[in-house]
Amino acid sequence: MQNEIINLLKREEKFSEKTIEELREVEINDFAEIIKEVGQQPTEHIVREEILNGLDTEVIGKELYVFKEVMSTNTVAKFLSENGAENGCAILSEKQSDAKGRLGKAWESPLGGIWLSIIIKSQVPHSKLPMITLATGVAAVKALERIGITNAEIKWPNDVMINGKKVSGILTEAITKFNTIENVIIGIGIDANFDVNVLSKELQEGTTTLDIELGHRVDENEVVRYFLEEFEKIAFAFNDNKFEEILKEWRKYSYSIGKIVEVREPFSKSYDAYVLGISKEGALVVEKIDGTLEKVISGECIIKK
Ligand code: BTN
């Protein structure tokens, strides 16, 4: 982990006081302080002060770091969560060089996107992790509504779609000690203002951006602020065990319910099914061709019609 973070610092032009060799010798606590310092240096597109200015939250994003480029904001968040970051700390980067998507896939993160991770310091039960992902999707859709996008939907479990194309993805990672979740890292990518042609060929057709959908560039810092505010509201609902309320919102925005999908679960054969709804644990409830009902807990569902 320390090596990975050193790679992060190597990319920061402003960070020149210490050599890489010196950094390797730095105590882990001091190292976390160095990272926090780098995360407060000036950036061009995603700007710390602009996000914080007017941010109406109590906890989420109150501690906030913005980098020019990191490998993955989730990795930085993981490191900081174990080294002194507060609950609700947010980490952003203008670019990511080795970002992680769901199911072990890479996530392309060019300049012009919003690449954000939030640290939740709470011993969430394993069974509630899917609910965090669903809640984050709802927060994303609500943030988009605030910039005038009223037709965003959520494809189970966590893709935000506009007009059938993906605009945002969410990766929730749990940090466990002796099988107990200590911290949760919620990573979200929102394709805001870049040309989809910079993405690899296979992603171009299925991807859209906020810029394309609105017909003009968006203020990325404003979108981040709105997202942090919406995320806090839903996180408070989660803390108050208002799961039914969260699911109700999710159902309202669902892109998956009522569609025929190909279900691809890890380690099992894929099959076609009709999506009936979402269970109280956040699993997708589907009806197979032979009429049997299944709960899909992990994996992906490819929409067929
Ligand atoms: C997916 O749809 O596959 C999930 C994509 C999650 C991407 C975000 S961008 C910020 C954070 N850092 C990462 O490395 N991944 C997440």
Side-chain angles (χ1 to χ4, degrees):
M1 170 70 95
Q2 189 141 342
N3 276 342
E4 196 165 328
I5 305 286
I6 287 173
N7 283 337
L8 173 172
L9 297 175
K10 276 201 279 190
R11 290 169 201 274
E12 292 285 341
E13 298 142 32
K14 298 260 174 207
F15 192 86
S16 53
E17 288 148 41
K18 287 192 167 42
T19 66
I20 300 304
E21 284 325 305
E22 275 176 305
L23 280 171
R24 281 190 218 287
E25 304 305 318
V26 169
E27 289 289 319
I28 206 90
N29 282 345
D30 298 338
F31 199 71
E33 289 311 311
I34 293 172
I35 297 203
K36 290 179 182 177
E37 211 180 278
V38 176
Q40 294 177 75
Q41 286 172 4
T43 42
E44 251 174 82
H45 303 268
I46 306 279
V47 179
R48 201 171 164 268
E49 291 68 29
E50 285 189 28
I51 297 168
L52 291 173
N53 187 9
L55 176 68
D56 186 14
T57 59
E58 286 170 33
V59 183
I60 302 297
K62 287 296 183 192
E63 185 179 358
L64 185 129
Y65 304 105
V66 180
F67 299 87
K68 284 188 173 175
E69 181 169 345
V70 298
M71 295 169 86
S72 155
T73 52
N74 268 30
T75 309
V76 178
K78 183 167 186 257
F79 176 79
L80 289 181
S81 73
E82 290 164 342
N83 293 284
E86 298 288 334
N87 181 33
C89 172
I91 290 107
L92 288 124
S93 184
E94 294 184 326
K95 283 201 251 172
Q96 297 180 109
S97 56
D98 194 12
K100 300 180 271 187
R102 282 185 73 239
L103 310 170
K105 293 182 192 163
W107 178 260
E108 296 182 23
S109 320
L111 196 64
I114 293 167
W115 320 124
L116 162 69
S117 300
I118 298 174
I119 299 171
I120 296 297
K121 306 200 93 170
S122 167
Q123 295 194 340
V124 179
H126 284 272
S127 62
K128 286 286 176 285
L129 274 184
M131 188 67 75
I132 294 187
T133 305
L134 300 186
T136 308
V138 172
V141 171
K142 285 178 172 284
L144 298 189
E145 278 179 350
R146 288 173 65 178
I147 58 160
I149 293 180
T150 52
N151 57 344
E153 297 171 293
I154 312 170
K155 179 159 120 14
W156 185 89
N158 57 5
D159 291 349
V160 180
M161 315 287 292
I162 308 175
N163 294 321
K165 294 190 177 192
K166 181 162 170 169
V167 73
S168 169
I170 296 155
L171 176 70
T172 309
E173 295 188 280
I175 299 171
T176 49
K177 265 198 197 116
F178 307 112
N179 213 26
T180 302
I181 296 179
E182 295 277 318
N183 301 316
V184 180
I185 309 297
I186 295 137
I188 178 163
I190 305 176
D191 300 336
N193 290 321
F194 58 80
D195 184 345
V196 290
N197 293 324
V198 304
L199 300 175
S200 50
K201 277 262 169 307
E202 65 272 21
L203 292 178
Q204 288 175 11
E205 207 189 317
T207 302
T208 190
T209 63
L210 302 181
D211 181 350
I212 294 174
E213 296 303 325
L214 285 170
H216 59 81
R217 293 177 74 78
V218 296
D219 177 347
E220 291 134 334
N221 298 305
E222 184 180 62
V223 178
V224 172
R225 192 171 345 107
Y226 290 162
F227 175 75
L228 295 172
E229 291 172 358
E230 295 303 327
F231 182 85
E232 177 163 288
K233 284 187 213 153
I234 209 142
F236 284 174
F238 182 93
N239 273 349
D240 293 343
N241 295 324
K242 293 184 177 155
F243 304 124
E244 203 33 65
E245 241 171 64
I246 298 172
L247 288 172
K248 205 167 140 198
E249 294 271 23
W250 193 91
R251 287 186 193 105
K252 189 168 97 190
Y253 296 126
S254 169
Y255 176 75
S256 307
I257 296 173
K259 299 234 166 59
I260 307 272
V261 296
E262 181 190 329
V263 179
R264 293 188 188 162
E265 287 175 290
F267 315 113
S268 50
K269 249 183 105 190
S270 64
Y271 58 88
D272 288 353
Y274 175 76
V275 181
L276 291 170
I278 189 113
S279 75
K280 63 180 189 335
E281 312 86 29
L284 199 69
V285 183
V286 300
E287 183 178 345
K288 288 170 123 175
I289 307 294
D290 64 7
T292 52
L293 301 188
E294 290 284 346
K295 277 186 185 173
V296 188
I297 295 159
S298 61
E300 59 182 332
C301 289
I302 316 291
I303 307 279
K304 298 190 87 175
K305 52 177 166 155

